[in-house]
Amino acid sequence: MAKVKKINHIAIAVHDIDEAAAFWRDALGLTLDHVEDVPSQKSKVAFFPIGDCEVELVEPTATDTGVAKFLADKGAGMHHLCLEVDDIDGMLTALSKKGIRLINEKPVVLPGRRMAFIHPKSANGVLVELYQVD
Amino acid sequence: MAKVKKINHIAIAVHDIDEAAAFWRDALGLTLDHVEDVPSQKSKVAFFPIGDCEVELVEPTATDTGVAKFLADKGAGMHHLCLEVDDIDGMLTALSKKGIRLINEKPVVLPGRRMAFIHPKSANGVLVELYQVD
């Protein structure tokens, strides 16, 4: 049976990644691992490792993304919770059978990982991302 | 210098802990460690360990709490991010000096831990809880 292994990251939607990074780096003393452009997601992301998880800041680079709409509606804040699983196909099949609403019925394949989102309506209002790191 | 050690937990505000637990336990297959009444916080909480972090479901048991107001305003969803630190007094002093707005200037002492909240206005819209486990 497919299993959740760990929390991979908590994603935080921000208007400006450089400004936002100041809190996590300069105030809390965390290390900014790297900043990355993700054209496929129309976003720029910054990673702060904490223990074996990460805080990921996400700044949209276009106005038509889910994160851009989230920011426009609610302002900056926690956007999604990413859980790493050992078998994303098995997990998605099992969730579907249990009546869980999925945003991605099949994993989206990205370099080094496959990911899919569970709909917040099935997850106590939380946008849950599933990751399988290849 | 005080340091962040790990993510201790992600707290999710829910209307009904038993109903909400179904997603994390029955759908995702996580283990429900325990459910606890926390009269001092007017809430009932359920813990699901994931790796070395936890997902904590929080159901308010009164209508005048922060979590109850959050639920009334926004519905269920991620409520706060708890970071474990090695020296909460040192961390709060350092944050104050850097102009970070704190909800608790001094730690609240609970059995086995001391905790304080950072105001979301200073933390990219995220309600950040700091924990020192004694």
Side-chain angles (χ1 to χ4, degrees):
Chain A
M1 206 184 97
K3 280 193 184 143
V4 176
K5 293 167 68 179
K6 56 179 267 193
I7 293 175
N8 184 285
H9 64 265
I10 315 291
I12 298 166
V14 301
H15 293 284
D16 181 304
I17 224 164
D18 297 320
E19 201 179 293
F23 170 70
W24 306 92
R25 183 189 56 218
D26 307 334
L28 287 181
L30 296 171
T31 301
L32 172 54
D33 189 68
H34 68 288
V35 179
E36 192 180 320
D37 270 306
V38 189
S40 67
Q41 305 288 307
K42 298 180 185 170
S43 63
K44 195 164 81 162
V45 291
F47 295 94
F48 294 89
I50 308 183
D52 74 343
C53 310
E54 290 184 310
V55 160
E56 178 189 326
L57 305 183
V58 185
E59 177 191 326
T61 53
T63 55
D64 62 346
T65 70
V67 175
K69 283 170 201 156
F70 178 96
L71 278 167
D73 287 350
K74 306 181 183 182
M78 288 192 280
H79 180 263
H80 68 261
L81 169 63
C82 178
L83 303 177
E84 204 172 308
V85 297
D86 59 358
D87 172 11
I88 194 166
D89 294 304
M91 182 61 83
L92 292 173
T93 302
L95 291 172
S96 273
K97 280 189 187 158
K98 287 170 184 157
I100 299 300
R101 191 167 154 190
L102 303 173
I103 293 175
N104 308 101
E105 296 282 339
K106 296 281 171 200
V108 176
V109 180
L110 296 174
R113 63 188 189 271
R114 286 173 283 162
M115 43 82 73
F117 281 100
I118 300 172
H119 198 288
K121 281 204 185 299
S122 283
N124 313 139
V126 181
L127 178 59
V128 175
E129 182 177 24
L130 300 176
Y131 246 38
Q132 182 175 351
V133 178
D134 293 317
Chain B
M1 208 183 96
K3 277 191 185 144
V4 175
K5 293 168 68 180
K6 56 178 267 194
I7 294 175
N8 183 286
H9 64 265
I10 316 292
I12 298 167
V14 300
H15 292 284
D16 181 306
I17 226 165
D18 297 319
E19 202 180 293
F23 170 70
W24 306 92
R25 183 189 56 217
D26 307 334
L28 288 180
L30 296 172
T31 301
L32 172 55
D33 189 68
H34 69 286
V35 179
E36 193 180 319
D37 270 305
V38 190
S40 66
Q41 305 289 307
K42 297 180 187 172
S43 63
K44 195 163 82 161
V45 293
F47 296 96
F48 293 89
I50 308 184
D52 74 342
C53 310
E54 291 184 308
V55 160
E56 178 188 326
L57 305 184
V58 186
E59 175 192 327
T61 53
T63 55
D64 60 347
T65 70
V67 175
K69 284 171 201 156
F70 177 96
L71 277 168
D73 287 351
K74 306 181 183 179
M78 287 193 282
H79 180 263
H80 68 263
L81 170 63
C82 178
L83 304 177
E84 204 173 307
V85 297
D86 60 358
D87 171 11
I88 195 166
D89 294 304
M91 181 61 83
L92 291 173
T93 302
L95 291 171
S96 272
K97 278 188 188 159
K98 288 167 184 161
I100 300 298
R101 191 167 153 192
L102 303 174
I103 292 176
N104 308 101
E105 297 282 338
K106 296 282 171 196
V108 176
V109 180
L110 296 174
R113 62 190 191 269
R114 285 173 283 162
M115 42 83 72
F117 282 99
I118 299 172
H119 199 286
K121 282 206 185 297
S122 282
N124 312 141
V126 181
L127 178 60
V128 175
E129 181 177 25
L130 301 175
Y131 245 37
Q132 181 174 354
V133 178
D134 294 315

